Amino acid sequence: GRHHIVKLHLPGDMLGVASICLTEAADTLTTVTPASFRKLSVRHLAQIFASSPTFAASMFLIAQLERVMLTDRLHACATRSSLGKLATFLTDLHARLTALGMAHGMTFPLPLTQQQMGHFVGLSTIQVHRAMNELQSRGMIERHSNSVTILDLDALFEHGSLPARVADLDVRDRFAGASGE
């Protein structure tokens, strides 16, 4: 319906950066778990960009990577079944949390409600409930109060996953000789 969660931010993410090109914030940020942040003014960010072209180039590459990830996720939401959408969501979240050291093997925190998951993948709460039950009854996942354990990663991948992409964020190689640093 009326709500849609576009992105799940994880620890270390920069929030609201896309809005620096606008006069007002483009999105609303809401926390699901306790969070802390540090505000950075556009002026301060501009000073950092001016003093470190490498940082500026890195931010540019990260923005492009986020764009590709969003496009992949939108494609998955538009073309997959409800089971595929949730499989894609769970495999992607597991990979992201594993990269941050926040997953314990195949178990990872999932503090979202079924309604919030639905808002993220484009499903109703009842569709999320049914799909989660099906994933569990097929032995692909095990649900806990605020976490999920993946029992059969290959089966989840068969139902849905984002394209396996390898990011190249090495600014020095990619922009060699152009930064002036």
Side-chain angles (χ1 to χ4, degrees):
R2 300 157 117 194
H3 299 283
H4 190 76
I5 298 173
V6 177
K7 184 175 181 188
L8 293 178
H9 290 285
L10 298 178
D13 285 353
M14 290 185 69
L15 313 175
V17 177
S19 294
I20 65 173
C21 62
L22 304 170
T23 57
E24 294 182 20
D27 41 18
T28 302
L29 301 172
T30 305
T31 62
V32 176
T33 60
S36 61
F37 66 94
R38 183 170 182 189
K39 189 175 180 178
L40 183 65
S41 71
V42 174
R43 174 172 282 167
H44 189 195
L45 189 60
Q47 290 170 344
I48 295 170
F49 281 7
S51 66
S52 178
T54 300
F55 178 79
S58 295
M59 291 295 295
F60 171 76
L61 292 177
I62 289 168
Q64 298 314 304
L65 180 60
E66 285 193 2
R67 181 189 146 294
V68 169
M69 291 169 56
L70 178 62
T71 302
D72 287 344
R73 199 173 63 74
L74 286 173
H75 177 72
C77 285
T79 60
R80 302 237 166 92
S81 67
S82 48
L83 206 63
K85 290 176 184 185
L86 276 181
T88 300
F89 166 71
L90 293 171
T91 56
D92 180 56
L93 185 58
H94 176 259
R96 292 176 64 203
L97 289 169
T98 297
L100 291 172
M102 295 179 66
H104 303 286
M106 298 307 286
T107 301
F108 59 96
L110 183 61
L112 301 175
T113 66
Q114 290 183 355
Q115 182 180 44
Q116 290 166 328
M117 286 188 276
H119 289 169
F120 188 72
V121 298
L123 297 173
S124 69
T125 304
I126 191 70
Q127 289 171 310
V128 171
H129 180 76
R130 288 178 182 155
M132 290 294 279
N133 283 343
E134 188 168 345
L135 290 172
Q136 189 161 344
S137 71
R138 290 185 182 192
M140 291 183 235
I141 65 165
E142 185 176 275
R143 293 184 290 177
H144 315 284
S145 60
N146 283 320
S147 66
V148 168
T149 300
I150 295 175
L151 302 174
D152 190 344
L153 186 61
D154 291 337
L156 272 183
F157 274 132
E158 284 180 29
H159 285 284
S161 63
L162 295 175
R165 301 197 188 272
V166 178
D168 181 2
L169 301 175
D170 188 343
V171 176
R172 295 190 192 273
D173 283 347
R174 189 166 292 278
F175 297 104
S179 70
E181 288 185 32

